[in-house]
PDB file of all heavy atoms in Angstrom:
ATOM      1  N   VAL E  94      18.643 -32.659 -23.235  1.00 93.00           N
ATOM      2  CA  VAL E  94      17.837 -33.384 -24.233  1.00 93.00           C
ATOM      3  C   VAL E  94      16.462 -33.482 -23.394  1.00 93.00           C
ATOM      4  O   VAL E  94      16.499 -34.028 -22.237  1.00 93.00           O
ATOM      5  CB  VAL E  94      18.338 -34.730 -24.498  1.00 93.00           C
ATOM      6  CG1 VAL E  94      17.363 -35.420 -25.359  1.00 93.00           C
ATOM      7  CG2 VAL E  94      19.747 -34.530 -25.262  1.00 93.00           C
ATOM      8  N   LEU E  95      15.348 -33.088 -24.158  1.00 93.00           N
ATOM      9  CA  LEU E  95      14.102 -33.247 -23.468  1.00 93.00           C
ATOM     10  C   LEU E  95      13.099 -34.095 -24.341  1.00 93.00           C
ATOM     11  O   LEU E  95      13.406 -34.098 -25.491  1.00 93.00           O
ATOM     12  CB  LEU E  95      13.473 -31.807 -23.305  1.00 93.00           C
ATOM     13  CG  LEU E  95      14.106 -30.924 -22.190  1.00 93.00           C
ATOM     14  CD1 LEU E  95      13.356 -29.637 -22.118  1.00 93.00           C
ATOM     15  CD2 LEU E  95      14.235 -31.636 -20.830  1.00 93.00           C
ATOM     16  N   PRO E  96      12.237 -34.831 -23.793  1.00 92.00           N
ATOM     17  CA  PRO E  96      11.371 -35.764 -24.656  1.00 92.00           C
ATOM     18  C   PRO E  96      10.534 -35.055 -25.509  1.00 92.00           C
ATOM     19  O   PRO E  96      10.126 -33.821 -25.287  1.00 92.00           O
ATOM     20  CB  PRO E  96      10.576 -36.528 -23.579  1.00 92.00           C
ATOM     21  CG  PRO E  96      10.613 -35.566 -22.438  1.00 92.00           C
ATOM     22  CD  PRO E  96      11.798 -34.883 -22.323  1.00 92.00           C
ATOM     23  N   CYS E  97      10.157 -35.583 -26.588  1.00 93.00           N
ATOM     24  CA  CYS E  97       9.219 -34.946 -27.571  1.00 93.00           C
ATOM     25  C   CYS E  97       8.257 -36.125 -28.040  1.00 93.00           C
ATOM     26  O   CYS E  97       8.745 -37.153 -28.483  1.00 93.00           O
ATOM     27  CB  CYS E  97       9.921 -34.337 -28.850  1.00 93.00           C
ATOM     28  SG  CYS E  97       8.839 -33.881 -30.051  1.00 93.00           S
ATOM     29  N   ASP E  98       6.988 -35.796 -27.971  1.00 95.00           N
ATOM     30  CA  ASP E  98       5.913 -36.790 -28.359  1.00 95.00           C
ATOM     31  C   ASP E  98       5.767 -36.599 -29.933  1.00 95.00           C
ATOM     32  O   ASP E  98       5.020 -35.737 -30.505  1.00 95.00           O
ATOM     33  CB  ASP E  98       4.612 -36.495 -27.742  1.00 95.00           C
ATOM     34  CG  ASP E  98       3.533 -37.490 -28.043  1.00 95.00           C
ATOM     35  OD1 ASP E  98       3.594 -38.167 -29.155  1.00 95.00           O
ATOM     36  OD2 ASP E  98       2.542 -37.584 -27.303  1.00 95.00           O
ATOM     37  N   ARG E  99       6.521 -37.441 -30.628  1.00 96.00           N
ATOM     38  CA  ARG E  99       6.650 -37.242 -32.224  1.00 96.00           C
ATOM     39  C   ARG E  99       5.311 -37.442 -32.876  1.00 96.00           C
ATOM     40  O   ARG E  99       4.939 -36.820 -33.845  1.00 96.00           O
ATOM     41  CB  ARG E  99       7.647 -38.118 -32.735  1.00 96.00           C
ATOM     42  CG  ARG E  99       9.118 -37.841 -32.286  1.00 96.00           C
ATOM     43  CD  ARG E  99      10.215 -38.499 -33.047  1.00 96.00           C
ATOM     44  NE  ARG E  99      11.483 -37.955 -32.664  1.00 96.00           N
ATOM     45  CZ  ARG E  99      12.537 -38.009 -33.438  1.00 96.00           C
ATOM     46  NH1 ARG E  99      12.489 -38.611 -34.647  1.00 96.00           N
ATOM     47  NH2 ARG E  99      13.804 -37.596 -32.971  1.00 96.00           N
ATOM     48  N   GLU E 100       4.597 -38.359 -32.338  1.00 96.00           N
ATOM     49  CA  GLU E 100       3.289 -38.774 -32.989  1.00 96.00           C
ATOM     50  C   GLU E 100       2.251 -37.575 -32.803  1.00 96.00           C
ATOM     51  O   GLU E 100       1.642 -37.229 -33.895  1.00 96.00           O
ATOM     52  CB  GLU E 100       2.655 -39.989 -32.386  1.00 96.00           C
ATOM     53  CG  GLU E 100       1.361 -40.337 -32.930  1.00 96.00           C
ATOM     54  CD  GLU E 100       0.725 -41.776 -32.351  1.00 96.00           C
ATOM     55  OE1 GLU E 100       1.502 -42.380 -31.681  1.00 96.00           O
ATOM     56  OE2 GLU E 100      -0.363 -42.020 -32.637  1.00 96.00           O
ATOM     57  N   THR E 101       2.305 -36.906 -31.664  1.00 96.00           N
ATOM     58  CA  THR E 101       1.378 -35.801 -31.436  1.00 96.00           C
ATOM     59  C   THR E 101       1.840 -34.598 -32.359  1.00 96.00           C
ATOM     60  O   THR E 101       1.017 -33.838 -32.974  1.00 96.00           O
ATOM     61  CB  THR E 101       1.450 -35.328 -30.077  1.00 96.00           C
ATOM     62  OG1 THR E 101       0.824 -36.425 -29.153  1.00 96.00           O
ATOM     63  CG2 THR E 101       0.613 -34.107 -29.755  1.00 96.00           C
ATOM     64  N   MET E 102       3.225 -34.390 -32.417  1.00 96.00           N
ATOM     65  CA  MET E 102       3.759 -33.230 -33.201  1.00 96.00           C
ATOM     66  C   MET E 102       3.411 -33.517 -34.714  1.00 96.00           C
ATOM     67  O   MET E 102       3.045 -32.555 -35.385  1.00 96.00           O
ATOM     68  CB  MET E 102       5.196 -33.114 -33.031  1.00 96.00           C
ATOM     69  CG  MET E 102       5.566 -32.606 -31.637  1.00 96.00           C
ATOM     70  SD  MET E 102       4.779 -31.004 -31.227  1.00 96.00           S
ATOM     71  CE  MET E 102       5.249 -29.956 -32.621  1.00 96.00           C
ATOM     72  N   GLU E 103       3.524 -34.749 -35.194  1.00 97.00           N
ATOM     73  CA  GLU E 103       3.196 -34.949 -36.538  1.00 97.00           C
ATOM     74  C   GLU E 103       1.748 -34.712 -36.880  1.00 97.00           C
ATOM     75  O   GLU E 103       1.515 -34.030 -37.895  1.00 97.00           O
ATOM     76  CB  GLU E 103       3.449 -36.412 -37.041  1.00 97.00           C
ATOM     77  CG  GLU E 103       4.941 -36.880 -37.044  1.00 97.00           C
ATOM     78  CD  GLU E 103       5.437 -36.472 -38.569  1.00 97.00           C
ATOM     79  OE1 GLU E 103       4.732 -35.921 -39.222  1.00 97.00           O
ATOM     80  OE2 GLU E 103       6.654 -36.821 -38.707  1.00 97.00           O
ATOM     81  N   ALA E 104       0.885 -35.067 -35.950  1.00 97.00           N
ATOM     82  CA  ALA E 104      -0.524 -34.731 -36.106  1.00 97.00           C
ATOM     83  C   ALA E 104      -0.882 -33.218 -36.051  1.00 97.00           C
ATOM     84  O   ALA E 104      -1.569 -32.760 -36.904  1.00 97.00           O
ATOM     85  CB  ALA E 104      -1.434 -35.467 -35.074  1.00 97.00           C
ATOM     86  N   ARG E 105      -0.179 -32.497 -35.233  1.00 97.00           N
ATOM     87  CA  ARG E 105      -0.415 -31.139 -35.064  1.00 97.00           C
ATOM     88  C   ARG E 105      -0.004 -30.382 -36.357  1.00 97.00           C
ATOM     89  O   ARG E 105      -0.707 -29.492 -36.824  1.00 97.00           O
ATOM     90  CB  ARG E 105       0.396 -30.561 -33.865  1.00 97.00           C
ATOM     91  CG  ARG E 105      -0.219 -30.843 -32.545  1.00 97.00           C
ATOM     92  CD  ARG E 105       0.748 -30.206 -31.488  1.00 97.00           C
ATOM     93  NE  ARG E 105       0.218 -30.656 -30.133  1.00 97.00           N
ATOM     94  CZ  ARG E 105       0.982 -30.296 -29.029  1.00 97.00           C
ATOM     95  NH1 ARG E 105       2.062 -29.560 -29.187  1.00 97.00           N
ATOM     96  NH2 ARG E 105       0.454 -30.615 -27.846  1.00 97.00           N
ATOM     97  N   ILE E 106       1.289 -30.741 -36.827  1.00 97.00           N
ATOM     98  CA  ILE E 106       1.678 -30.062 -37.976  1.00 97.00           C
ATOM     99  C   ILE E 106       0.897 -30.399 -39.248  1.00 97.00           C
ATOM    100  O   ILE E 106       0.725 -29.476 -40.067  1.00 97.00           O
ATOM    101  CB  ILE E 106       3.301 -30.392 -38.219  1.00 97.00           C
ATOM    102  CG1 ILE E 106       4.038 -30.012 -37.025  1.00 97.00           C
ATOM    103  CG2 ILE E 106       3.817 -29.736 -39.471  1.00 97.00           C
ATOM    104  CD1 ILE E 106       3.990 -28.550 -36.644  1.00 97.00           C
TER     105      ILE E 106
END
Side-chain angles (χ1 to χ4, degrees):
V94 176
L95 295 180
C97 174
D98 184 338
R99 296 194 173 201
E100 184 176 349
T101 295
M102 290 305 302
E103 286 278 3
R105 288 178 182 176
I106 301 305

